[in-house]
Amino acid sequence: MAVDNDGIAVVTLQRPPVNSLNLDLLQAMNNTFDDVAKNKSKGMILTSASPTVFSAGLDIMEMYKPDPKRLETFWVTLQDMWLKLFGASFPTAAAINGHAPAGGCLIATSCEYRVMLSGKFTIGLNETALGIVPPTWIQDSLRHTIPTRQAEIALTTGKMFTVDEALKWRTNRGAEGAARLGPPVLEGPQMPPRSPDQILNKTLKMCLSPKMALDTGIIKLNALNEYLVTERTTIVDNAITFGIKKCNDMDINIQKRGRRKVGLIDETAADKAEAIEKCKKFIKRFDKIPSLARGMTKQIFRQEVLQKLLTNRQADTKQFLDLVNQPKIQQSLELYLAMLKQKSQK
Ligand SMILES: CCCCC/C=C\CCC/C=C/CC(=O)SCCNC(=O)CCNC(=O)[C@H](O)C(C)(C)COP(=O)(O)OP(=O)(O)OC[C@H]1O[C@@H](n2cnc3c(N)ncnc32)[C@H](O)[C@@H]1OP(=O)(O)O
């Protein structure tokens, strides 16, 4: 842990090669979180010493052929880590400088703010894809971060988000919708882009002109009708071109506005230093907010989710122990470890 001049603690996970969460690392995290609270730090930023992995999640070796007592301590320590981090009264942020699967995503979603490095990294809760039901409180961390519907789909599919997807999800109507209609007709002498309102106003003016004979008016309206039907694609394209131009003139970023954000991460950064700076900026937002009021508001906001685990702690532990001790799960763990080993040797 390093505390900067502003009193913000930067906590770096350092368990090579992939910061997998074993008992020792979880205990060290818990002690550090206690220190941050005791020192009355202004806030805490979690990051990783690895250049490519934030955290690979739970250390599978803790669950494979486990010692029963250690396995139980391992799970209770993980619960403690989550209760301390998710329930921390001080501001928390994650500078996610690499992959964050499963438990890595849990750490990130337990924080209040997330900045992830742009690149070929992924983040998400992949448990379902591995044949495991994520415990309620792990699901709750995701549901607390992104909209419920997206959380349900992500959890049930074991979705690992790319950095871009984590920032935004499905495309809405907008720039990409326009692209699906084909290239817009660009401005030119024959077809200057006009808004639909401009076209209708001009036609109306022409038809209402006292100089216009009734039969000429009818001919013109029929021609307009035919034009609207046969040229509808061009008209839509022109309307889109007009809209895009107006947005550009008004400095509105249609690329961003056209996409729905999933918000699993709040911002991206080019490198770790920038990610930490952005996290610091988030924490400094609370400089003028009384810290007691802030902390209590956060805890009240998160109380329901925290209380659920506190009430069901023993049952949750028993469920985990029963699951891990199943021969079928032990077999899956063995296969998964072999697969990871094979992949790392390539
Ligand atoms: C599968 C069944 C699990 C059953 C658990 C039962 C109940 C649990 C309750 C539910 C909670 C689950 C939360 C979890 O966190 S489960 C853990 C899920 N984690 C993962 O699936 C991530 C696996 N790792 C990776 O995908 C990649 O390692 C990576 C993080 C993307 C990084 O890739 P890369 O940089 O290429 O590194 P390598 O893959 O080469 O790995 C290097 C080294 O580290 C070992 N390793 C990786 N992840 C773990 C891990 N989670 N635990 C232990 N060891 C891990 C990997 O085997 C390599 O080892 P060697 O160098 O010795 O070959």
Side-chain angles (χ1 to χ4, degrees):
M1 170 169 73
V3 182
D4 74 1
N5 292 339
D6 291 314
I8 298 173
V10 179
V11 174
T12 305
L13 302 173
Q14 194 162 9
R15 183 170 181 258
V18 290
N19 282 331
S20 61
L21 305 168
N22 71 345
L23 179 58
D24 295 349
L25 180 56
L26 288 169
Q27 280 168 340
M29 288 168 79
N30 287 344
N31 292 338
T32 308
F33 299 165
D34 288 344
D35 287 346
V36 173
K38 238 185 283 156
N39 298 344
K40 296 205 176 344
S41 294
K42 191 191 272 188
M44 180 179 75
I45 297 165
L46 276 174
T47 190
S48 154
S50 155
T52 54
V53 183
F54 177 67
S55 166
L58 302 192
D59 188 331
I60 297 184
M61 293 310 290
E62 291 284 4
M63 298 177 278
Y64 180 57
K65 296 187 177 167
D67 167 72
K69 192 72 209 132
R70 183 178 168 108
L71 184 66
E72 183 172 349
T73 311
F74 168 69
W75 191 252
V76 171
T77 311
L78 176 72
Q79 290 172 336
D80 276 338
M81 187 279 290
W82 180 77
L83 289 166
K84 283 177 198 285
L85 184 58
F86 190 81
S89 58
F90 49 81
T92 53
I96 312 164
N97 53 329
H99 296 289
C105 178
L106 175 73
I107 301 173
T109 51
S110 303
C111 295
E112 290 159 63
Y113 201 73
R114 283 154 292 280
V115 182
M116 191 162 179
L117 259 56
S118 302
K120 286 190 174 162
F121 303 127
T122 55
I123 179 167
L125 294 176
N126 62 343
E127 286 84 347
T128 314
L130 303 176
I132 297 155
V133 180
T136 314
W137 47 284
I138 296 186
Q139 295 195 25
D140 281 342
S141 292
L142 187 71
R143 207 182 359 198
H144 197 85
T145 309
I146 64 175
T148 310
R149 174 151 174 72
Q150 271 100 327
E152 181 180 333
I153 295 171
L155 284 164
T156 51
T157 56
K159 168 92 179 157
M160 291 300 297
F161 293 85
T162 62
V163 177
D164 196 44
E165 287 171 332
L167 199 56
K168 328 161 192 115
W169 195 333
R170 260 177 283 152
T171 54
N172 224 339
R173 266 172 259 129
E176 295 206 3
R180 252 181 279 125
L181 286 170
V185 176
L186 297 174
E187 260 184 275
Q190 290 154 332
M191 196 71 80
R194 290 191 188 143
S195 77
D197 270 5
Q198 279 175 316
I199 295 171
L200 284 178
N201 283 345
K202 189 153 188 235
T203 311
L204 196 67
K205 236 191 224 164
M206 257 168 49
C207 293
L208 291 177
S209 156
K211 287 185 205 144
M212 173 91 66
L214 182 62
D215 51 351
T216 320
I218 290 169
I219 290 166
K220 281 201 179 288
L221 278 175
N222 278 338
L224 175 68
N225 187 30
E226 203 178 315
Y227 167 76
L228 287 174
V229 172
T230 55
E231 296 298 316
R232 58 186 183 277
T233 316
T234 311
I235 295 164
V236 170
D237 282 347
N238 272 346
I240 291 166
T241 307
F242 183 85
I244 292 173
K245 189 176 177 307
K246 277 271 173 216
C247 285
N248 287 341
D249 291 348
M250 293 165 76
D251 209 19
I252 294 170
N253 188 342
I254 42 172
Q255 207 71 28
K256 273 196 184 150
R257 289 177 66 118
R259 284 169 172 220
R260 192 179 300 166
K261 286 184 87 176
V262 74
L264 179 51
I265 57 169
D266 298 287
E267 289 188 72
T268 56
D271 55 34
K272 183 170 158 181
E274 192 192 353
I276 290 177
E277 264 327 296
K278 286 183 168 178
C279 288
K280 284 188 179 174
K281 207 168 156 198
F282 167 75
I283 291 171
K284 285 181 190 165
R285 276 194 211 170
F286 302 112
D287 275 358
K288 293 200 172 86
I289 308 291
S291 63
L292 187 65
R294 193 211 93 88
M296 284 179 72
T297 305
K298 175 182 167 185
Q299 281 173 330
I300 291 169
F301 196 75
R302 296 184 171 212
Q303 186 58 30
E304 201 183 315
V305 174
L306 289 161
Q307 195 55 49
K308 238 197 285 179
L309 176 61
L310 287 168
T311 312
N312 295 309
R313 229 178 144 167
Q314 276 184 339
D316 182 76
T317 307
K318 184 177 178 318
Q319 221 167 10
F320 169 74
L321 298 178
D322 289 348
L323 175 78
V324 172
N325 287 318
Q326 280 177 28
K328 210 175 62 191
I329 293 292
Q330 284 300 313
Q331 227 173 5
S332 305
L333 288 169
E334 188 170 324
L335 286 174
Y336 196 55
L337 277 168
M339 186 275 286
L340 284 173
K341 217 158 243 345
Q342 202 180 26
K343 185 184 83 75
S344 84
Q345 279 160 3
K346 272 189 190 161

